[in-house]
Amino acid sequence: DTEVTQTPKHLVMGMTNKKSLKCEQHMGHRAMYWYKQKAKKPPELMFVYSYEKLSINESVPSRFSPECPNSSLLNLHLHALQPEDSALYLCASSQVDRGDEQYFGPGTRLTVT
Amino acid sequence: AQSVSQHNHHVILSEAASLELGCNYSYGGTVNLFWYVQYPGQHLQLLLKYFSGDPLVKGIKGFEAEFIKSKFSFNLRKPSVQWSDTAEYFCAVNGKVKFSGGYNKLIFGAGTRLAVHP
């Protein structure tokens, strides 16, 4: 199984809402990532978890809050977002310490109204 | 700091034409190199990768890429494109630096949008 799954596929939320994005993988990968991708742009790294610990926060605003409950799951909690946060949010996973490729999920298309 | 440059932002070809997409990177150490493809409405998929060994690597769907260390390049090629190759192509670099957490930090190029006309 080389699949990374993400739910929901689409999400529309108001600026005062609280919502969560979910990501799951069963490849035994111990590194998991959140990316943000705007239209016609490359993915931008947001967070990296390694062995369930937050390793990198790329200066992401606190209205985005990641969580890694276990080695297979990664969440992104959203609160008080701005319209400019509308984007495709991608989850990825990889082996650690080997420089291997990252496996990407299909993404959650987020629209903030 | 690492960076990746993709020279062609938008390429339009007819079916059966040959394809070459340029990718140059900037990094002083050893790198792992990747080409990812994003078909319309689909997720990012790995086309091919280079870690070491033969600098000419073959990937899925008839794609290949050549690593030229002296030129810091990793260009993607396909001898004859098909309409189904219409997609966004991203070159990415992962410097072989052992970060404190052991993760991999991919640096993506800006992407090349390929449109193939029948």
Side-chain angles (χ1 to χ4, degrees):
Chain A
D1 182 6
T2 58
E3 190 179 18
V4 176
T5 59
Q6 290 187 244
T7 55
K9 289 185 179 179
H10 300 275
L11 178 62
V12 179
M13 61 185 290
M15 289 190 285
T16 58
N17 292 157
K18 285 186 181 180
K19 296 286 184 184
S20 297
L21 310 184
K22 297 186 184 302
C23 172
E24 190 167 4
Q25 57 89 14
H26 295 287
M27 293 177 277
H29 292 165
R30 302 300 295 276
M32 296 187 76
Y33 312 77
W34 280 115
Y35 289 86
K36 175 182 178 180
Q37 187 178 24
K38 295 285 241 182
K40 301 182 182 181
K41 297 290 186 182
E44 298 174 29
L45 183 65
M46 299 174 70
F47 302 103
V48 180
Y49 273 83
S50 180
Y51 299 105
E52 296 86 68
K53 288 184 171 46
L54 183 64
S55 295
I56 278 193
N57 175 342
E58 292 283 292
S59 303
V60 179
S62 59
R63 56 185 184 269
F64 295 91
S65 175
E67 178 196 20
C68 190
N70 59 54
S71 60
S72 300
L73 292 174
L74 186 66
N75 298 323
L76 186 63
H77 303 298
L78 314 173
H79 175 53
L81 295 193
Q82 303 296 311
E84 59 265 28
D85 296 322
S86 298
L88 182 68
Y89 288 84
L90 298 169
C91 174
S93 70
S94 75
Q95 301 279 8
V96 294
D97 291 335
R98 287 173 52 182
D100 278 355
E101 68 267 30
Q102 295 179 18
Y103 292 81
F104 286 83
T108 294
R109 177 76 59 190
L110 174 67
T111 302
V112 182
T113 60
Chain B
Q2 297 178 48
S3 65
V4 179
S5 297
Q6 291 183 240
H7 318 297
N8 319 100
H9 295 295
H10 198 174
V11 173
I12 302 172
L13 294 173
S14 299
E15 277 195 316
S18 64
L19 171 71
E20 180 159 2
L21 301 182
C23 173
N24 286 90
Y25 66 93
S26 172
Y27 182 66
T30 307
V31 294
N32 293 343
L33 297 157
F34 308 87
W35 276 98
Y36 282 87
V37 60
Q38 193 169 29
Y39 297 103
Q42 295 190 28
H43 61 279
L44 276 164
Q45 302 172 43
L46 182 71
L47 267 182
L48 46 78
K49 62 185 179 184
Y50 174 80
F51 285 3
S52 63
D54 189 343
L56 185 62
V57 293
K58 295 191 184 300
I60 61 171
K61 306 188 181 188
F63 286 91
E64 65 178 32
E66 185 176 12
F67 170 55
I68 303 179
K69 188 175 180 180
S70 60
K71 294 185 178 180
F72 298 91
S73 70
F74 190 55
N75 292 352
L76 181 71
R77 299 195 291 249
K78 186 171 184 178
S80 176
V81 295
Q82 300 173 314
W83 176 80
S84 58
D85 293 323
T86 295
E88 184 96 28
Y89 292 81
F90 294 100
C91 181
V93 169
N94 174 24
K96 282 187 179 178
V97 176
K98 185 174 172 72
F99 298 98
S100 59
Y103 56 83
N104 312 320
K105 185 170 180 177
L106 280 180
I107 307 297
F108 285 90
T112 297
R113 186 168 293 266
L114 172 66
V116 180
H117 296 304

